[in-house]
């Protein structure tokens, strides 16, 4: 409520001043009302920033809501669960928890699950779902689990005999319905089952603990799994999993809030000697939703902040031009007794008139922006494989309110600060329309203030070197010192030269800060570091360019000495450095971001071969099988086209460090067979290890050494977060069921960025000792024969081992799909930033409209001296093109330099090559310049049609 209260107070001041100061109210209203076209342009330029912020919040709401939906659809009443190493103990654990008679617990039940593959004969051939699970659950007991039977998703009696109740997702995969016969393959046997009913993906019926938002479930008669495994679980197959579910009192949110209390009560009931682990699955899911939603809101908000800053510069530009246009009027008002504070009030009222409709319309447009982002992002998040998430548009009222409030508050604060600067006019010079004289001497208070700023910058920098959390000091500290000492430098150097030196040094620091400080500038991994660096680089470049523009203008005039439209078009931006700088800043900030993302998109999209070496090494195919029915390596090797097969153990373990609490993470167990083909390239190895192969050999021989991905333990499996572990760190690994485990040393970073292969690589025997039979040999690295096509071999493996749930893909297809997803996301960001380009184009339009209004007399004089309408039109178009081209050149150049520096320094991994996206740059520059010229066309045409006699005779 704090932000809305601030905004209400800010607008209350506007209303109060309008009521109390009718003269100021009329001054504020007159300019806005009589020039409706310009007012519309101002509002359009202002509302885009609000739309971007609101859209960012809605993206976060949608991701949060979509993950929260899985808590309802895949957990329902389940708040905690206990995985049992011995399924026979389920009744005992249920009884113990039931004896608590705790009013905070409103349900206890147990379930038995096992992975399975389901298939059915379709009209065009067999259909299969290899990633399904069989579940045994007493439906009557399940429907009484929790306070709401409908929340369980169960209906009807418990399936008996060869009847099966399947979930909607499995029914969709197999195109099966009631009465159809489907085949289940698990533990080396097949069952023919008749579909009894189809259950929704909801609560217990949709129970799923994987990363997918779908649930391929099949409920069978209790005792079915025991009959299948009465002779024992086949060698290599993971045993079935038994779990006890606990439901807390209240709905999804209320129940999760009681997790700590209920967990403590259950631990007391189980006794101090119990090694059973109580997992807060519901709370974890909700916290993940909040974390992921916040991360994506921050990502889009941070990237969109470039456009927001451009919108702020547009507002400053508008009010500076407005004050220049009304300079004589403001001087007369001051001469007849109006105080500076009254001028501030008048401009503040006018800013409120712009901010209110811009905030409202921007927030409403933000709904469309957020919806468009979600629509484009849905296929990216809803991909196949081990991770998928169905995105469903969601918007919290708070997001709409916050978007409006932030946009309106930024507008009002910008107008207030700008109006304070405007109010400091000299009355005589304003009335006579005389330019401000150059400052010959720096005031003592300016010197003192500058020294204080420099001292603060030095302190800020020192703090940044000493703490990762204070990283902004590394980027901003030295520039603050330089600009703080600028008044002092100006006493010994000409001011223009001093500004050039300081701006150039600040620009250079922005480029090399991360390299000079050994990666500390971006050590936090925060997206805000990129935003801050972009702003620093562009501000420094614009300040530098504003001081050397006269030299550029002289150079251009030398090549075309008789081109009068060119000389006229250059004269105005060269004479108005501050205004030109604002326009340059608007363009360069947005172009900088769009070009940078375009470079990254092309760089990552062109790293297929490099990524293949990191993901696959010398292997061609990755095959995954059902953990309840995996094939033998010899069986796979017998398939035509298969060369060698390396079997790996796969499972899930709990990892923790000094700074990170326990997190689930996949593990991959390897042995000497993994080294038959060239293993994947490593990103980094520990000192003392000669090469990648030596590191792999150490892992296969030593149970205390592991290799982890660089984004190890980051929530969500990647993203822009900082690296949480280093080479040589010791991590704790535990079995999530028994709690046993030990410490392991990180000796290498894998280069994998793909969800399929990003587990922690460990010694196979170590994984077996840790997880037991629950670590199944269900993943296979396969090297195809040189004469065979890996794609055809992968299809052959899937066809021959359909009962084993084998899904085989070439590493190339996995990498290409991953790269394509990344490129799609980058393109999404570029489209999102196109709104910022609209801000810059709107700024050009507003500036040119205002320029024509302000220079009517000048145009009249030129026309009376013989300037033709076409020459006037070309002059204005060349003026706009010159400014836009400079902004595009600055933004593009800085983006390419920054991208090259980060890539060459290894910020995006070793072996990543810098690629200039010439086609994308050509399209982007062409669109930006073309749109800028179109925005200038109408005001230029208006200027060319100004009658000389009328322009010289009237002031407005």
């Amino acid at each position: 409520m704090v932000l809305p209260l601030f905004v209400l107070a800010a607008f209350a001041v506007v209303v109060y001043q309008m009521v109390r100061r009718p003269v100021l109210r009329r001054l504020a209203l007159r300019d806005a009302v009589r020039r409706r076209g310009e007012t519309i342009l101002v509002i359009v330029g202002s509302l885009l920033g609000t739309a971007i912020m609101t859209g960012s919040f809605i993206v976060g709401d949608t991701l949060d809501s979509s993950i929260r939906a899985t808590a309802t659809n895949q957990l329902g009443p389940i708040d905690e669960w206990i995985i049992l190493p011995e399924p026979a103990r389920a009744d005992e654990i249920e009884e113990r928890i039931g004896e608590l008679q705790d009013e905070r617990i409103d349900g206890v039940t147990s379930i038995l699950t096992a992975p399975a593959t389901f298939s059915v004969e379709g009209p065009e051939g067999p259909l299969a779902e290899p990633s399904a699970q069989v579940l045994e659950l007493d439906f009557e007991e399940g429907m009484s689990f929790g306070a709401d039977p409908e929340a369980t998703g169960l209906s009807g009696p418990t399936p008996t005999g060869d009847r099966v109740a399947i979930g909607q997702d499995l029914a969709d995969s197999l195109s099966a319905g009631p009465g159809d016969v489907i085949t289940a393959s698990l533990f080396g046997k097949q069952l023919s089952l008749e579909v009894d009913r189809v259950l929704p993906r909801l609560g217990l019926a949709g129970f799923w603990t994987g990363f997918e938002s779908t649930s391929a479930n099949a409920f069978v008669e209790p005792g079915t799994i025991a009959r299948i495994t009465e002779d024992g679980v086949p060698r290599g197959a993971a045993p079935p999993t038994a779990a006890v579910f606990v439901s807390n009192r209240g709905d999804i949110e209320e129940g999760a809030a009681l997790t700590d209390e209920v967990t403590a009560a259950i631990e007391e009931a189980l006794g101090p000697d119990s090694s059973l682990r109580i997992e807060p699955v519901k709370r974890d899911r909700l916290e993940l939703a909040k974390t992921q939603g916040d991360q994506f809101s921050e990502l889009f908000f941070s990237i969109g902040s470039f456009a927001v800053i451009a919108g702020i510069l547009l507002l400053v530009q508008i009010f500076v031009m407005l004050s220049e246009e009304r300079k004589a009027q403001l001087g007369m008002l001051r001469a007849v007794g109006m105080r500076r504070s009254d001028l501030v009030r008048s401009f503040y009222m006018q800013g409120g008139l712009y901010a209110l409709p811009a905030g409202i319309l921007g927030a409403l447009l933000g709904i469309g922006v957020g919806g468009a982002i979600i629509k484009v992002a849905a296929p990216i998040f809803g991909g196949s494989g081990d991770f998928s998430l169905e995105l469903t548009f969601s918007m919290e009222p708070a997001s709409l309110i916050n978007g409006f409030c932030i946009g309106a508050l930024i507008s009002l604060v910008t107008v207030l600060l700008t109006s304070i600067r405007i109010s400091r006019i000299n009355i005589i010079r304003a009335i006579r329309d005389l330019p401000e004289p150059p400052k010959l001497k720096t005031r003592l208070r300016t010197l003192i203030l500058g020294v204080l700023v420099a001292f603060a910058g030095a302190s800020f920098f020192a703090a940044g070197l000493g703490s990762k959390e204070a990283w902004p000091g590394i980027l901003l500290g030295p520039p603050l010192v330089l600009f703080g000492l600028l008044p002092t430098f100006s006493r010994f150097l000409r001011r223009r030269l001093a500004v050039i030196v300081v701006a150039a040094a600040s620009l250079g620091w922005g480029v090399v800060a991360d390299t000079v400080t050994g990666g500390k500038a971006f050590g936090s991994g925060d997206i805000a570091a990129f935003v801050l660096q972009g702003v620093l680089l562009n501000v420094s470049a614009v300040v530098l360019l504003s001081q050397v523009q006269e030299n550029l203008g002289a150079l251009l005039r030398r090549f075309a000495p008789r081109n009068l439209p060119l000389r006229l078009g250059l004269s105005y931006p060269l004479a108005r450095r501050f205004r030109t700088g604002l326009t340059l800043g608007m363009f360069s900030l947005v172009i900088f971001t769009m070009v940078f993302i375009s470079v990254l998109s092309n760089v990552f999209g062109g790293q297929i071969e490099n990524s293949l070496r990191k993901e696959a090494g010398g292997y061609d195919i990755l095959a995954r099988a059902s953990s309840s029915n995996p094939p033998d390596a010899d069986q796979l090797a017998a398939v035509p086209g298969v060369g060698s097969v390396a079997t790996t153990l796969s499972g899930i373990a709990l990892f923790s460090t000094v700074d990170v609490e326990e997190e689930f993470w996949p593990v991959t167990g390897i042995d000497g067979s993994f080294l038959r083909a060239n293993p994947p390239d490593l990103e980094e190895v520990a000192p003392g290890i000669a090469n990648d192969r030596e590191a792999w050999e150490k892992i296969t021989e030593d149970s205390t050494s592991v290799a982890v991905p660089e984004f190890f333990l980051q929530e969500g499996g990647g993203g822009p977060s900082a690296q949480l572990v280093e080479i040589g760190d010791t991590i704790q690994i535990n079995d999530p069921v028994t709690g046993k485990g030990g410490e392991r040393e990180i000796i290498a970073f894998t280069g994998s960025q793909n969800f399929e292969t990003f587990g922690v690589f460990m010694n196979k025997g170590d994984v077996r000792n840790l997880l037991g039979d629950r670590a199944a040999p269900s993943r296979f690295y396969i090297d195809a024969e040189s004469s065979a096509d890996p794609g055809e071999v992968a299809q052959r493996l899937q066809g021959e081992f359909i009962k084993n749930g084998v899904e085989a893909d070439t590493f190339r297809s996995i990498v290409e799909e991953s790269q394509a997803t990344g490129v799609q996301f980058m393109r999404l960001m570029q489209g999102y930033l196109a709104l910022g380009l609209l801000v810059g184009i709107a700024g050009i339009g507003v500036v040119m409209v205002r320029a024509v209004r302000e220079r009517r007399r000048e145009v009249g004089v030129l026309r009376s001296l013989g300037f033709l309408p076409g020459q006037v039109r070309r002059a204005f178009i060349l003026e706009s093109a010159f400014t836009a081209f400079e902004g595009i050149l600055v933004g593009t150049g800085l983006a390419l330099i920054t991208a090259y520096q980060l890539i060459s320094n290894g910020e995006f991994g070793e072996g990543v090559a810098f690629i200039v996206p010439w086609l994308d740059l050509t399209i982007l520059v062409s669109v930006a310049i073309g749109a800028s010229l179109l925005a200038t066309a109408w005001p230029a045409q208006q200027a060319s049609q100004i009658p000389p006699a009328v322009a010289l005779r009237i002031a407005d």
Side-chain angles (χ1 to χ4, degrees):
M1 292 299 296
V2 175
L3 191 59
L5 288 176
F6 268 114
V7 175
L8 286 175
F11 278 110
V13 172
V14 174
V15 174
Y16 176 77
Q17 295 296 335
M18 283 186 168
V19 173
R20 289 292 302 275
R21 302 297 182 98
V23 175
L24 300 181
R25 181 184 67 233
R26 286 195 292 271
L27 286 174
L29 288 171
R30 185 183 67 171
D31 195 66
V33 171
R34 69 176 178 168
R35 295 172 181 172
R36 296 183 181 88
E38 297 174 32
T39 300
I40 291 173
L41 283 176
V42 173
I43 292 174
V44 169
S46 302
L47 67 83
L48 289 174
T50 304
I52 288 171
M53 289 182 289
T54 305
S56 301
F57 293 141
I58 291 175
V59 169
D61 288 344
T62 298
L63 198 64
D64 184 346
S65 174
S66 299
I67 298 178
R68 284 176 181 273
T70 66
T72 299
N73 298 337
Q74 297 184 318
L75 296 176
I78 306 170
D79 289 292
E80 297 87 28
W81 75 331
I82 306 170
I83 302 177
L84 305 177
E86 302 172 14
R89 294 190 60 193
D91 292 338
E92 173 202 341
I93 301 301
E94 274 193 72
E95 185 178 350
R96 285 196 189 185
I97 298 175
E99 289 174 352
L100 287 173
Q101 297 294 313
D102 194 317
E103 62 178 9
R104 294 166 298 189
I105 299 175
D106 62 7
V108 182
T109 191
S110 61
I111 196 168
L112 187 66
T113 67
T117 298
F118 282 87
S119 59
V120 65
E121 287 297 329
E124 299 180 0
L127 298 175
E129 174 52 67
S131 302
Q133 65 179 354
V134 168
L135 305 96
E136 292 183 3
L137 173 69
D138 187 306
F139 275 36
E140 183 177 351
E141 181 179 305
M143 284 186 281
S144 64
F145 179 70
D148 183 7
E150 293 185 359
T152 66
L154 301 175
S155 61
T158 304
T160 58
D162 60 355
R163 312 281 286 182
V164 61
I166 64 174
Q168 185 63 56
D169 295 315
L170 182 57
D172 293 340
S173 297
L174 301 178
S175 298
D180 291 333
V181 176
I182 60 178
T183 300
S185 302
L186 67 166
F187 301 120
K189 297 181 180 179
Q190 284 76 47
L191 296 177
S192 293
L193 303 169
E194 182 180 348
V195 177
D196 181 65
R197 80 206 79 143
V198 176
L199 303 174
R201 189 205 311 152
L202 179 65
L204 295 176
F207 172 69
W208 195 265
T209 58
F211 294 102
E212 304 89 348
S213 58
T214 55
S215 307
N217 288 341
F219 291 87
V220 297
E221 179 183 19
T224 301
I225 296 177
R227 288 195 298 272
I228 295 175
T229 59
E230 60 184 355
D231 296 328
V233 175
R235 183 175 178 274
T241 300
V244 173
F245 297 154
V246 179
S247 174
N248 300 346
R249 185 189 67 241
D251 59 19
I252 290 178
E253 302 281 348
E254 295 170 348
L258 295 173
T259 292
D260 287 337
E261 301 174 25
V262 171
T263 298
I266 296 174
E267 287 176 345
E268 184 177 351
L270 296 179
D273 297 331
S274 174
S275 61
L276 296 178
R277 180 182 177 86
I278 305 166
E279 289 295 336
V281 286
K282 178 73 68 56
R283 188 179 64 185
D284 287 350
R285 189 73 63 95
L286 297 178
E287 288 178 352
L288 175 65
K290 180 71 167 58
T291 300
Q292 294 292 324
D294 289 347
Q295 284 181 354
F296 274 84
S297 283
E298 180 185 358
L299 174 63
F300 280 88
F301 188 91
S302 298
I303 294 296
S305 62
F306 285 98
V308 174
I309 295 172
I312 293 173
L313 296 179
L314 174 59
L315 279 176
V316 175
Q317 175 86 298
I318 289 166
F319 277 87
V320 168
M321 295 191 72
L322 183 62
S323 67
E324 289 288 335
E325 181 186 346
R326 296 166 54 186
K327 191 174 182 180
Q329 174 193 343
L330 296 177
M332 291 296 296
L333 290 173
R334 289 281 286 116
V336 298
M338 180 177 282
R339 295 174 298 180
R340 286 177 176 172
S341 60
D342 291 330
L343 288 182
V344 173
R345 290 187 180 96
S346 175
F347 277 105
Y348 186 69
M349 290 180 197
Q350 188 170 345
L353 295 175
Y354 293 148
L356 183 61
I360 294 173
L361 294 175
L364 295 176
L365 179 61
I367 299 175
V369 171
I373 294 173
I374 297 307
K375 186 173 182 180
V376 176
I380 300 175
F381 282 88
S384 59
D386 287 345
F387 176 84
S388 64
L389 180 65
E390 292 181 355
L391 292 185
T392 305
F393 180 86
S394 178
M395 180 188 69
E396 295 292 332
S399 296
L400 203 61
I401 295 171
N402 286 338
F404 164 77
C405 290
I406 294 175
L409 202 58
I410 288 175
S411 298
L412 290 173
V413 171
T414 302
V415 169
L416 178 62
L417 296 178
T418 307
S419 62
I420 292 174
R421 177 186 181 277
I422 291 170
S423 68
R424 304 179 65 85
I425 60 172
N426 181 281
I427 296 175
I428 302 301
R429 284 195 293 268
I431 293 175
R432 296 183 177 180
D433 197 20
L434 298 175
E436 293 292 325
K439 294 181 180 180
L440 301 177
K441 188 176 181 181
T442 305
R443 294 180 179 180
L444 179 60
R445 65 182 182 183
T446 304
L447 286 172
I448 295 174
L449 180 61
V451 171
L452 292 176
V453 170
F455 178 76
S459 303
F460 203 20
F461 179 70
L465 290 176
S467 171
K468 284 187 176 182
E469 300 300 322
W471 59 265
I474 294 179
L475 282 173
L476 295 184
L480 286 175
V481 173
L482 290 169
F483 281 100
L485 295 178
L486 179 59
T488 304
F489 296 155
S490 299
R491 288 207 163 196
F492 305 99
L493 300 172
R494 286 186 302 165
R495 180 171 179 80
R496 179 167 176 262
L497 179 59
V499 173
I500 290 174
V501 171
V502 167
S506 177
L507 178 63
W509 178 253
V511 174
V512 304
D514 194 58
T515 302
V516 171
T517 59
K520 290 186 177 180
F522 295 104
S524 68
D526 199 326
I527 186 67
F530 165 67
V531 175
L532 193 61
Q533 187 202 33
V535 173
L536 172 62
L537 290 174
N538 282 274
V539 169
S540 301
V542 168
V543 172
L544 177 62
L545 189 59
S546 67
Q547 299 299 314
V548 300
Q549 280 211 355
E550 292 179 3
N551 305 87
L552 295 176
L555 183 64
L556 290 174
R557 286 193 292 265
R558 182 176 298 178
F559 285 104
R562 298 183 180 180
N563 192 323
L564 293 180
L566 175 62
R567 299 177 70 87
L568 179 62
L570 293 177
S571 63
Y572 189 78
L574 295 179
R576 307 283 183 171
R577 291 180 183 176
F578 183 70
R579 290 199 213 170
T580 305
L582 292 174
T583 308
L584 285 176
M586 284 188 294
F587 252 82
S588 65
L589 280 170
V590 178
I591 295 296
F592 171 84
T593 322
M594 295 188 72
V595 171
F596 186 83
I597 291 179
S598 180
V599 171
L600 293 189
S601 175
N602 279 268
V603 164
F604 293 132
Q607 297 299 317
I608 300 294
E609 298 303 323
N610 186 43
S611 297
L612 267 176
R613 290 192 298 270
K614 294 179 180 180
E615 303 284 353
Y619 290 100
D620 299 305
I621 300 168
L622 178 67
R624 295 133 300 184
S626 171
S627 60
S628 69
N629 195 26
D632 292 331
D634 293 340
Q635 292 176 305
L636 296 174
V639 173
V642 173
S644 62
V645 179
T647 305
T648 66
L649 295 179
S650 59
I652 300 290
L654 277 169
F655 292 88
S656 61
T657 68
V658 175
D659 300 319
V660 181
E661 295 183 359
E662 290 184 323
E663 293 283 347
F664 287 100
W665 205 265
V667 294
T668 300
I670 60 174
D671 58 13
S673 66
F674 188 71
L675 306 179
R676 290 174 188 165
N678 290 327
D681 287 359
L682 295 171
E683 197 71 38
E684 183 181 352
V685 298
I689 297 179
N691 50 47
D692 291 358
R693 188 170 187 86
E694 185 176 325
W696 285 117
E697 288 175 350
K698 184 175 177 61
I699 292 172
T700 59
E701 297 168 0
D702 181 7
S703 62
T704 64
S705 302
V706 298
V708 303
E710 287 187 299
F711 54 86
F712 179 56
L713 295 184
Q714 292 180 17
E715 290 184 328
S721 302
Q723 195 170 284
L724 299 179
V725 293
E726 301 288 346
I727 296 291
D729 285 356
T730 298
I731 58 176
Q732 178 71 30
I733 176 172
N734 292 323
D735 180 355
V737 176
T738 64
K740 70 176 183 179
E743 293 184 343
R744 304 292 185 272
E745 180 187 0
I746 298 174
I747 66 164
F749 282 138
T750 63
S752 174
Q753 294 292 324
N754 192 281
F755 197 86
E756 300 278 6
T757 55
F758 78 123
V760 174
F761 284 88
M762 303 172 57
N763 177 279
K764 182 181 284 188
D766 190 26
V767 173
R768 178 67 74 189
N769 292 334
L770 181 74
L771 302 180
D773 292 339
R774 283 173 286 105
S778 56
R779 288 209 172 195
F780 307 90
Y781 281 70
I782 299 173
D783 178 25
E785 294 178 348
S786 58
S787 60
D789 178 73
E792 294 179 358
V793 174
Q795 292 180 353
R796 197 175 298 133
L797 287 168
Q798 287 190 161
E800 293 193 18
F801 295 95
I802 190 171
K803 301 299 183 183
N804 301 93
V806 169
E807 295 179 275
D809 296 285
T810 64
F811 275 104
R812 180 171 293 276
S813 68
I814 293 173
V815 169
E816 288 177 348
E817 182 178 354
S818 176
Q819 300 278 12
T821 300
V823 170
Q824 284 178 337
F825 191 78
M826 293 290 186
R827 297 301 184 195
L828 171 63
M829 297 302 299
Q830 284 184 299
Y832 177 66
L833 284 169
L835 291 173
L837 187 59
L838 289 179
V839 175
I841 294 168
I844 288 284
V846 171
V847 168
M848 297 311 299
V849 168
R850 287 285 183 184
V852 171
R853 179 77 62 183
E854 180 182 335
R855 292 152 58 189
R856 290 186 68 183
R857 280 183 173 275
E858 296 175 17
V859 173
V861 171
L862 291 172
R863 292 281 287 110
S864 65
L865 293 176
F867 254 70
L868 298 175
Q871 290 178 305
V872 174
R873 184 166 53 249
R874 285 197 299 275
F876 276 94
I877 290 176
L878 287 171
E879 178 182 326
S880 170
F882 175 70
T883 305
F885 183 75
E886 279 189 317
I888 292 170
L889 193 64
V890 169
T892 302
L894 292 177
L896 292 176
I897 291 172
T898 304
Y900 174 77
Q901 179 210 23
L902 294 176
I903 291 171
S904 62
N905 287 350
E907 294 289 342
F908 299 103
E910 298 296 330
V912 178
F914 175 74
I915 302 173
V916 179
W918 294 112
L919 179 60
D920 288 1
L921 290 185
T922 302
I923 295 174
L924 177 59
V925 170
S926 300
V927 170
I929 292 180
S932 302
L933 295 179
L934 286 176
T936 311
W938 179 73
Q941 180 66 20
Q942 294 294 107
S944 68
Q945 294 178 350
I946 295 176
V950 176
L952 294 172
R953 193 167 57 241
I954 62 174
D956 198 350

